[in-house]
Amino acid sequence: MTDQPQAPEATLPGKPTSAARTTLSHIMTAHDTNLLGTVHGGVIMKLVDDAAGAVAGRHSGGPAVTASMDEMVFLEPVRVGDLVHVRAQCNWTGRSSMEIGVRVMAERWNESTPASQVGSAYLVFAAVDEEGKPRTVPPVIPESERDKRRYQEAQIRRTHRLARRRAIKELRDRRAAEGINE
């Protein structure tokens, strides 16, 4: 087999963070509760994934799939009657991957008090073509100092994800070489 020279990939024009930001809002009902009477964490995680998926699709200009979810943090319980707002934006892009940051806010549906943060998460999405193969995404262009900070923090999280993956693979390879099969 001979190595064929590959044509360089065209660099797509960048998109500002504001181009794909979105907010998904939902009123929590009794159908959303767990055995403790608060909203099930899985319901919140689904809303987080939905909002992040919309941002990933908007930013990449097509289909994108969830590759991983990092640091899903639940800060306060969500209750029946809470109006939940899930705010998402693209923090960082690689060749075909995007980190989407999500903030979950909640307020009582019938009160005029400000919403408070009840959760947050970081998700990595991969842009895919019609055949499910990775496709190139446009670079994200941070617009504000907050966006720049989020971009830098996303690079740190990416470095940690890759290092963790590499360390686990090395450990498994070493144990396999020692004849330890689990």
Side-chain angles (χ1 to χ4, degrees):
M1 179 189 324
T2 60
D3 288 331
Q4 297 289 331
Q6 300 209 339
E9 290 188 33
T11 303
L12 299 172
K15 287 186 177 179
T17 51
S18 62
R21 265 187 206 126
T22 195
T23 300
L24 174 68
S25 297
H26 188 77
I27 295 177
M28 297 292 111
T29 67
H31 178 73
D32 300 314
T33 60
N34 59 27
L35 296 174
L36 299 175
T38 57
V39 173
H40 196 287
V43 170
I44 301 299
M45 291 173 74
K46 168 98 170 65
L47 294 172
V48 163
D49 191 46
D50 287 347
V55 168
R58 284 179 173 186
H59 183 83
S60 69
V65 296
T66 311
S68 69
M69 178 184 267
D70 288 352
E71 300 179 39
M72 181 72 216
V73 178
F74 298 100
L75 302 170
E76 297 286 334
V78 177
R79 299 186 179 354
V80 169
D82 281 352
L83 178 56
V84 173
H85 308 285
V86 183
R87 299 182 179 140
Q89 80 168 44
C90 184
N91 290 336
W92 175 90
T93 54
R95 188 184 65 75
S96 62
S97 63
M98 301 159 277
E99 185 198 87
I100 312 299
V102 181
R103 179 175 291 191
V104 183
M105 308 292 288
E107 61 182 307
R108 294 306 295 168
W109 71 272
N110 60 347
E111 297 176 8
S112 59
T113 56
S116 60
Q117 185 174 351
V118 295
S120 65
Y122 300 100
L123 296 88
V124 176
F125 277 75
V128 294
D129 63 17
E130 313 78 41
E131 298 170 5
K133 304 286 188 219
R135 62 180 175 80
T136 304
V137 300
V140 67
I141 302 169
E143 297 174 279
S144 66
E145 286 305 313
R146 179 181 288 182
D147 293 340
K148 291 174 186 172
R149 175 186 53 80
R150 288 176 176 164
Y151 184 91
Q152 292 168 334
E153 290 173 357
Q155 289 178 305
I156 293 168
R157 282 187 292 274
R158 180 177 187 273
T159 299
H160 286 219
R161 273 191 299 274
L162 294 175
R164 182 178 63 233
R165 203 175 293 152
R166 190 170 37 254
I168 289 169
K169 183 182 181 326
E170 289 170 3
L171 174 64
R172 289 179 179 174
D173 290 348
R174 189 170 53 248
R175 291 177 60 86
E178 294 169 359
I180 302 171
N181 296 320
E182 300 170 318

PDB file of all heavy atoms in Angstrom, residues 163-182:
ATOM      1  N   ALA A 163      -4.697  13.639  28.795  1.00  0.00           N
ATOM      2  CA  ALA A 163      -3.724  13.040  29.718  1.00  0.00           C
ATOM      3  C   ALA A 163      -4.360  11.901  30.514  1.00  0.00           C
ATOM      4  O   ALA A 163      -3.746  10.839  30.694  1.00  0.00           O
ATOM      5  CB  ALA A 163      -3.166  14.102  30.657  1.00  0.00           C
ATOM      6  N   ARG A 164      -5.600  12.092  30.970  1.00  0.00           N
ATOM      7  CA  ARG A 164      -6.303  11.047  31.723  1.00  0.00           C
ATOM      8  C   ARG A 164      -6.512   9.821  30.848  1.00  0.00           C
ATOM      9  O   ARG A 164      -6.253   8.687  31.263  1.00  0.00           O
ATOM     10  CB  ARG A 164      -7.634  11.596  32.239  1.00  0.00           C
ATOM     11  CG  ARG A 164      -8.424  10.604  33.076  1.00  0.00           C
ATOM     12  CD  ARG A 164      -9.718  11.198  33.605  1.00  0.00           C
ATOM     13  NE  ARG A 164     -10.598  11.563  32.503  1.00  0.00           N
ATOM     14  CZ  ARG A 164     -11.143  12.770  32.355  1.00  0.00           C
ATOM     15  NH1 ARG A 164     -10.896  13.731  33.205  1.00  0.00           N
ATOM     16  NH2 ARG A 164     -11.944  13.009  31.327  1.00  0.00           N
ATOM     17  N   ARG A 165      -6.962  10.039  29.604  1.00  0.00           N
ATOM     18  CA  ARG A 165      -7.189   8.934  28.659  1.00  0.00           C
ATOM     19  C   ARG A 165      -5.892   8.162  28.415  1.00  0.00           C
ATOM     20  O   ARG A 165      -5.870   6.938  28.415  1.00  0.00           O
ATOM     21  CB  ARG A 165      -7.730   9.515  27.353  1.00  0.00           C
ATOM     22  CG  ARG A 165      -8.506   8.546  26.518  1.00  0.00           C
ATOM     23  CD  ARG A 165      -9.115   9.216  25.304  1.00  0.00           C
ATOM     24  NE  ARG A 165     -10.146  10.177  25.691  1.00  0.00           N
ATOM     25  CZ  ARG A 165     -10.477  11.248  24.977  1.00  0.00           C
ATOM     26  NH1 ARG A 165      -9.868  11.522  23.848  1.00  0.00           N
ATOM     27  NH2 ARG A 165     -11.422  12.050  25.396  1.00  0.00           N
ATOM     28  N   ARG A 166      -4.794   8.912  28.216  1.00  0.00           N
ATOM     29  CA  ARG A 166      -3.492   8.292  27.956  1.00  0.00           C
ATOM     30  C   ARG A 166      -3.024   7.489  29.174  1.00  0.00           C
ATOM     31  O   ARG A 166      -2.545   6.356  29.048  1.00  0.00           O
ATOM     32  CB  ARG A 166      -2.481   9.382  27.595  1.00  0.00           C
ATOM     33  CG  ARG A 166      -1.170   8.892  27.067  1.00  0.00           C
ATOM     34  CD  ARG A 166      -0.280   9.993  26.493  1.00  0.00           C
ATOM     35  NE  ARG A 166      -0.331  11.266  27.217  1.00  0.00           N
ATOM     36  CZ  ARG A 166      -0.957  12.368  26.785  1.00  0.00           C
ATOM     37  NH1 ARG A 166      -1.586  12.386  25.637  1.00  0.00           N
ATOM     38  NH2 ARG A 166      -0.951  13.472  27.508  1.00  0.00           N
ATOM     39  N   ALA A 167      -3.171   8.051  30.386  1.00  0.00           N
ATOM     40  CA  ALA A 167      -2.735   7.369  31.605  1.00  0.00           C
ATOM     41  C   ALA A 167      -3.522   6.079  31.833  1.00  0.00           C
ATOM     42  O   ALA A 167      -2.960   5.047  32.220  1.00  0.00           O
ATOM     43  CB  ALA A 167      -2.862   8.303  32.807  1.00  0.00           C
ATOM     44  N   ILE A 168      -4.820   6.107  31.584  1.00  0.00           N
ATOM     45  CA  ILE A 168      -5.643   4.914  31.759  1.00  0.00           C
ATOM     46  C   ILE A 168      -5.249   3.848  30.740  1.00  0.00           C
ATOM     47  O   ILE A 168      -5.122   2.661  31.083  1.00  0.00           O
ATOM     48  CB  ILE A 168      -7.143   5.269  31.662  1.00  0.00           C
ATOM     49  CG1 ILE A 168      -7.560   6.062  32.909  1.00  0.00           C
ATOM     50  CG2 ILE A 168      -8.006   4.017  31.493  1.00  0.00           C
ATOM     51  CD1 ILE A 168      -8.939   6.684  32.822  1.00  0.00           C
ATOM     52  N   LYS A 169      -5.029   4.237  29.507  1.00  0.00           N
ATOM     53  CA  LYS A 169      -4.601   3.278  28.479  1.00  0.00           C
ATOM     54  C   LYS A 169      -3.262   2.645  28.850  1.00  0.00           C
ATOM     55  O   LYS A 169      -3.081   1.435  28.743  1.00  0.00           O
ATOM     56  CB  LYS A 169      -4.502   3.945  27.110  1.00  0.00           C
ATOM     57  CG  LYS A 169      -4.126   2.966  26.007  1.00  0.00           C
ATOM     58  CD  LYS A 169      -3.983   3.640  24.675  1.00  0.00           C
ATOM     59  CE  LYS A 169      -3.628   2.713  23.548  1.00  0.00           C
ATOM     60  NZ  LYS A 169      -2.784   1.587  23.819  1.00  0.00           N
ATOM     61  N   GLU A 170      -2.317   3.463  29.319  1.00  0.00           N
ATOM     62  CA  GLU A 170      -1.004   2.931  29.720  1.00  0.00           C
ATOM     63  C   GLU A 170      -1.139   1.946  30.871  1.00  0.00           C
ATOM     64  O   GLU A 170      -0.489   0.897  30.875  1.00  0.00           O
ATOM     65  CB  GLU A 170      -0.064   4.077  30.087  1.00  0.00           C
ATOM     66  CG  GLU A 170       0.392   4.899  28.893  1.00  0.00           C
ATOM     67  CD  GLU A 170       1.133   6.179  29.281  1.00  0.00           C
ATOM     68  OE1 GLU A 170       1.342   6.416  30.497  1.00  0.00           O
ATOM     69  OE2 GLU A 170       1.486   6.941  28.365  1.00  0.00           O
ATOM     70  N   LEU A 171      -1.988   2.249  31.844  1.00  0.00           N
ATOM     71  CA  LEU A 171      -2.209   1.349  32.974  1.00  0.00           C
ATOM     72  C   LEU A 171      -2.803   0.025  32.492  1.00  0.00           C
ATOM     73  O   LEU A 171      -2.336  -1.056  32.880  1.00  0.00           O
ATOM     74  CB  LEU A 171      -3.133   1.992  34.011  1.00  0.00           C
ATOM     75  CG  LEU A 171      -3.561   1.084  35.166  1.00  0.00           C
ATOM     76  CD1 LEU A 171      -2.355   0.685  36.009  1.00  0.00           C
ATOM     77  CD2 LEU A 171      -4.626   1.757  36.002  1.00  0.00           C
ATOM     78  N   ARG A 172      -3.802   0.085  31.647  1.00  0.00           N
ATOM     79  CA  ARG A 172      -4.430  -1.137  31.139  1.00  0.00           C
ATOM     80  C   ARG A 172      -3.449  -1.959  30.313  1.00  0.00           C
ATOM     81  O   ARG A 172      -3.410  -3.187  30.429  1.00  0.00           O
ATOM     82  CB  ARG A 172      -5.671  -0.795  30.317  1.00  0.00           C
ATOM     83  CG  ARG A 172      -6.814  -0.302  31.183  1.00  0.00           C
ATOM     84  CD  ARG A 172      -8.019   0.066  30.370  1.00  0.00           C
ATOM     85  NE  ARG A 172      -9.097   0.507  31.254  1.00  0.00           N
ATOM     86  CZ  ARG A 172     -10.236   1.003  30.832  1.00  0.00           C
ATOM     87  NH1 ARG A 172     -10.472   1.118  29.528  1.00  0.00           N
ATOM     88  NH2 ARG A 172     -11.155   1.385  31.693  1.00  0.00           N
ATOM     89  N   ASP A 173      -2.647  -1.283  29.482  1.00  0.00           N
ATOM     90  CA  ASP A 173      -1.644  -1.992  28.685  1.00  0.00           C
ATOM     91  C   ASP A 173      -0.616  -2.662  29.589  1.00  0.00           C
ATOM     92  O   ASP A 173      -0.218  -3.818  29.352  1.00  0.00           O
ATOM     93  CB  ASP A 173      -0.937  -1.034  27.715  1.00  0.00           C
ATOM     94  CG  ASP A 173      -1.845  -0.552  26.594  1.00  0.00           C
ATOM     95  OD1 ASP A 173      -2.948  -1.126  26.412  1.00  0.00           O
ATOM     96  OD2 ASP A 173      -1.458   0.421  25.913  1.00  0.00           O
ATOM     97  N   ARG A 174      -0.174  -1.978  30.630  1.00  0.00           N
ATOM     98  CA  ARG A 174       0.810  -2.524  31.564  1.00  0.00           C
ATOM     99  C   ARG A 174       0.232  -3.732  32.296  1.00  0.00           C
ATOM    100  O   ARG A 174       0.882  -4.776  32.420  1.00  0.00           O
ATOM    101  CB  ARG A 174       1.246  -1.436  32.543  1.00  0.00           C
ATOM    102  CG  ARG A 174       2.419  -1.838  33.411  1.00  0.00           C
ATOM    103  CD  ARG A 174       3.026  -0.690  34.218  1.00  0.00           C
ATOM    104  NE  ARG A 174       2.040   0.026  35.015  1.00  0.00           N
ATOM    105  CZ  ARG A 174       1.648   1.287  34.786  1.00  0.00           C
ATOM    106  NH1 ARG A 174       2.138   1.968  33.772  1.00  0.00           N
ATOM    107  NH2 ARG A 174       0.757   1.869  35.554  1.00  0.00           N
ATOM    108  N   ARG A 175      -1.019  -3.638  32.752  1.00  0.00           N
ATOM    109  CA  ARG A 175      -1.644  -4.771  33.453  1.00  0.00           C
ATOM    110  C   ARG A 175      -1.830  -5.954  32.516  1.00  0.00           C
ATOM    111  O   ARG A 175      -1.634  -7.104  32.920  1.00  0.00           O
ATOM    112  CB  ARG A 175      -2.970  -4.342  34.079  1.00  0.00           C
ATOM    113  CG  ARG A 175      -2.766  -3.372  35.247  1.00  0.00           C
ATOM    114  CD  ARG A 175      -4.077  -2.882  35.821  1.00  0.00           C
ATOM    115  NE  ARG A 175      -4.921  -3.942  36.337  1.00  0.00           N
ATOM    116  CZ  ARG A 175      -4.854  -4.460  37.561  1.00  0.00           C
ATOM    117  NH1 ARG A 175      -3.946  -4.012  38.400  1.00  0.00           N
ATOM    118  NH2 ARG A 175      -5.687  -5.407  37.941  1.00  0.00           N
ATOM    119  N   ALA A 176      -2.187  -5.691  31.264  1.00  0.00           N
ATOM    120  CA  ALA A 176      -2.343  -6.771  30.283  1.00  0.00           C
ATOM    121  C   ALA A 176      -0.992  -7.445  30.030  1.00  0.00           C
ATOM    122  O   ALA A 176      -0.917  -8.675  29.927  1.00  0.00           O
ATOM    123  CB  ALA A 176      -2.928  -6.232  28.985  1.00  0.00           C
ATOM    124  N   ALA A 177       0.077  -6.643  29.959  1.00  0.00           N
ATOM    125  CA  ALA A 177       1.415  -7.195  29.730  1.00  0.00           C
ATOM    126  C   ALA A 177       1.864  -8.060  30.925  1.00  0.00           C
ATOM    127  O   ALA A 177       2.636  -8.999  30.763  1.00  0.00           O
ATOM    128  CB  ALA A 177       2.422  -6.066  29.487  1.00  0.00           C
ATOM    129  N   GLU A 178       1.341  -7.740  32.120  1.00  0.00           N
ATOM    130  CA  GLU A 178       1.654  -8.515  33.311  1.00  0.00           C
ATOM    131  C   GLU A 178       0.775  -9.752  33.436  1.00  0.00           C
ATOM    132  O   GLU A 178       0.888 -10.505  34.389  1.00  0.00           O
ATOM    133  CB  GLU A 178       1.500  -7.632  34.566  1.00  0.00           C
ATOM    134  CG  GLU A 178       2.502  -6.495  34.650  1.00  0.00           C
ATOM    135  CD  GLU A 178       2.158  -5.496  35.751  1.00  0.00           C
ATOM    136  OE1 GLU A 178       1.134  -5.662  36.453  1.00  0.00           O
ATOM    137  OE2 GLU A 178       2.924  -4.533  35.897  1.00  0.00           O
ATOM    138  N   GLY A 179      -0.132  -9.930  32.478  1.00  0.00           N
ATOM    139  CA  GLY A 179      -1.005 -11.091  32.490  1.00  0.00           C
ATOM    140  C   GLY A 179      -2.215 -10.934  33.376  1.00  0.00           C
ATOM    141  O   GLY A 179      -2.874 -11.930  33.719  1.00  0.00           O
ATOM    142  N   ILE A 180      -2.510  -9.723  33.782  1.00  0.00           N
ATOM    143  CA  ILE A 180      -3.669  -9.489  34.632  1.00  0.00           C
ATOM    144  C   ILE A 180      -4.861  -9.186  33.726  1.00  0.00           C
ATOM    145  O   ILE A 180      -4.938  -8.138  33.117  1.00  0.00           O
ATOM    146  CB  ILE A 180      -3.423  -8.311  35.610  1.00  0.00           C
ATOM    147  CG1 ILE A 180      -2.202  -8.603  36.474  1.00  0.00           C
ATOM    148  CG2 ILE A 180      -4.681  -8.068  36.448  1.00  0.00           C
ATOM    149  CD1 ILE A 180      -1.753  -7.424  37.308  1.00  0.00           C
ATOM    150  N   ASN A 181      -5.743 -10.174  33.638  1.00  0.00           N
ATOM    151  CA  ASN A 181      -6.956 -10.013  32.824  1.00  0.00           C
ATOM    152  C   ASN A 181      -8.147  -9.867  33.750  1.00  0.00           C
ATOM    153  O   ASN A 181      -8.361 -10.683  34.624  1.00  0.00           O
ATOM    154  CB  ASN A 181      -7.148 -11.225  31.895  1.00  0.00           C
ATOM    155  CG  ASN A 181      -6.022 -11.318  30.885  1.00  0.00           C
ATOM    156  OD1 ASN A 181      -5.576 -10.320  30.362  1.00  0.00           O
ATOM    157  ND2 ASN A 181      -5.562 -12.540  30.641  1.00  0.00           N
ATOM    158  N   GLU A 182      -8.904  -8.849  33.497  1.00  0.00           N
ATOM    159  CA  GLU A 182     -10.042  -8.602  34.412  1.00  0.00           C
ATOM    160  C   GLU A 182     -11.340  -8.892  33.719  1.00  0.00           C
ATOM    161  O   GLU A 182     -11.606  -8.631  32.628  1.00  0.00           O
ATOM    162  CB  GLU A 182     -10.021  -7.137  34.870  1.00  0.00           C
ATOM    163  CG  GLU A 182      -8.725  -6.852  35.591  1.00  0.00           C
ATOM    164  CD  GLU A 182      -8.505  -5.381  35.874  1.00  0.00           C
ATOM    165  OE1 GLU A 182      -8.772  -4.543  35.007  1.00  0.00           O
ATOM    166  OE2 GLU A 182      -8.071  -5.094  36.978  1.00  0.00           O
TER     167      GLU A 182
END
